[in-house]
Amino acid sequence: MTIDDATNQKIKETASALSSSNHATAITGAGMSAESGVPTFRGPDGLWTKYGEPDDLGYEKFQADPKLWWENRLNASYMPEMRKALESAKPNDGHIALAQLEKMGYIKHVITQNVDGLHTDAGTENIVEIHGNSKLLRCIQCESRYDPKNITMESLPPLCPKCSGLIKIDTVMFGEPIPRSVLLTSQEQSQLTDFMLILGTSGVVYPAAALPGIAKQTNGATLVEINPEPSALSSICDIVIQAPTGVALPALVKLLERKTV
Ligand code: OAD
């Protein structure tokens, strides 16, 4: 995809603002992984558009009968395209460029709503997965995370080897509070931020959608959105780049030289 002059100009403005920032962060959503073949939730081909948005009772149902929940889970064929995509997806040029921005000293932390782990696969090191990670399990009591390989499913529900708490998928369910440590890190990072990239999110799911506003209110942070479509956050952004992240982020990297800190 070629970048038009107006978009190029906005990417230059973004490079300049990012260069003069002290604590830049990024918040990412499903659009960031669209170019890796992972479906988004909303929009024409979105999973919720196709299946309907789940009600807020997911976590309540899990807590009411965790054994039944796990039995259903292990047999489930719900959203097969998501399962398949998560198994085989690889980082795209956008993930790789964002990881480069961290290595170059620009981006200090990534807050992602994605559960696919692709930022980490691309090399991003400082990251908080606010909606969890689809490849991990988590104890709801002590918040320890486990590789599923290390947790037996012989007796359901699985229990935490450390504290005997209930084990669930790490992915945050509808109606489930964001794990405390994860929420705290996201809020702390947003309060430190003086420049935030808002990448591939519709900005309608809270508390994640509130974080750019926190950055703006606390530090007057410069907010830059990269998304081919307008989002619920576009109106509070200082720069809106209407392009795929897999195109705009590599263009941004090209404009920046290694930051000396
Ligand atoms: P959405 O599906 O709501 O929004 C995806 C956004 O990505 C839209 O604004 C698209 O315009 C944009 N987009 C599509 N392709 C893109 C591309 N190549 N580059 C950049 N942007 C692109 O996804 P989220 O905002 O992440 O929560 O949704 C938030 C939460 O809602 C998810 O984490 C999930 C869902 O319910 C849970 O499952 C807990």
Side-chain angles (χ1 to χ4, degrees):
M1 181 188 161
T2 50
I3 303 178
D4 62 40
D5 289 348
T7 305
N8 253 326
Q9 183 53 34
K10 287 181 185 180
I11 296 173
K12 279 186 192 156
E13 286 167 28
T14 301
S16 157
L18 181 52
S19 296
S20 54
S21 70
N22 289 315
H23 194 96
T25 58
I27 180 162
T28 73
M32 186 86 216
S33 297
E35 291 157 88
S36 296
V38 181
T40 60
F41 297 95
R42 300 169 183 84
D45 299 321
L47 290 171
W48 300 159
T49 312
K50 190 167 169 188
Y51 292 99
E53 190 155 348
D55 60 31
D56 269 350
L57 302 176
Y59 189 55
E60 208 175 290
K61 285 177 191 157
F62 170 78
Q63 284 185 305
D65 195 341
K67 183 173 191 292
L68 178 67
W69 188 92
W70 269 108
E71 282 166 0
N72 288 339
R73 168 85 189 179
L74 296 176
N75 299 319
S77 57
Y78 180 57
M79 299 203 302
E81 65 271 58
M82 186 58 155
R83 285 178 171 231
K84 209 165 165 234
L86 288 175
E87 272 164 28
S88 58
K90 299 271 179 298
N92 63 50
D93 291 347
H95 295 110
I96 292 164
L98 190 59
Q100 279 174 291
L101 289 175
E102 184 188 60
K103 288 202 173 58
M104 291 160 80
Y106 291 105
I107 292 290
K108 300 288 188 274
H109 218 96
V110 172
I111 302 164
T112 187
Q113 297 166 86
N114 300 342
V115 299
D116 53 35
L118 293 179
H119 286 301
T120 305
D121 293 349
T124 291
E125 288 180 14
N126 293 311
I127 184 160
V128 59
E129 295 171 312
I130 192 166
H131 292 163
N133 185 310
S134 67
K135 297 182 181 90
L136 297 177
L137 303 176
R138 167 169 44 87
C139 169
I140 64 170
Q141 198 159 283
C142 69
E143 293 187 12
S144 295
R145 286 174 179 74
Y146 296 101
D147 185 323
K149 283 199 300 268
N150 300 327
I151 296 293
T152 172
M153 294 288 162
E154 269 168 34
S155 165
L156 295 179
L159 297 178
C160 177
K162 287 187 196 153
C163 76
S164 301
L166 273 177
I167 294 257
K168 68 176 285 291
I169 52 171
D170 185 37
T171 304
V172 172
M173 291 173 179
F174 275 74
E176 178 184 358
I178 305 290
R180 199 179 135 70
S181 55
V182 170
L183 187 60
L184 274 177
T185 306
S186 308
Q187 288 169 339
E188 278 165 14
Q189 283 299 320
S190 302
Q191 282 162 356
L192 287 170
T193 292
D194 60 356
F195 175 102
M196 187 181 267
L197 288 171
I198 302 170
L199 306 171
T201 178
S202 57
V204 295
V205 174
Y206 287 79
L211 299 173
I214 291 176
K216 189 93 186 156
Q217 275 157 21
T218 315
N219 290 313
T222 302
L223 304 181
V224 178
E225 177 173 74
I226 304 180
N227 191 324
E229 304 293 332
S231 81
L233 294 168
S234 304
S235 63
I236 62 161
C237 289
D238 300 281
I239 302 173
V240 174
I241 298 172
Q242 285 206 310
T245 41
V247 173
L249 285 172
L252 178 60
V253 167
K254 270 197 195 154
L255 288 176
L256 294 161
E257 289 171 5
R258 181 168 280 270
K259 191 176 189 179
T260 44
V261 270

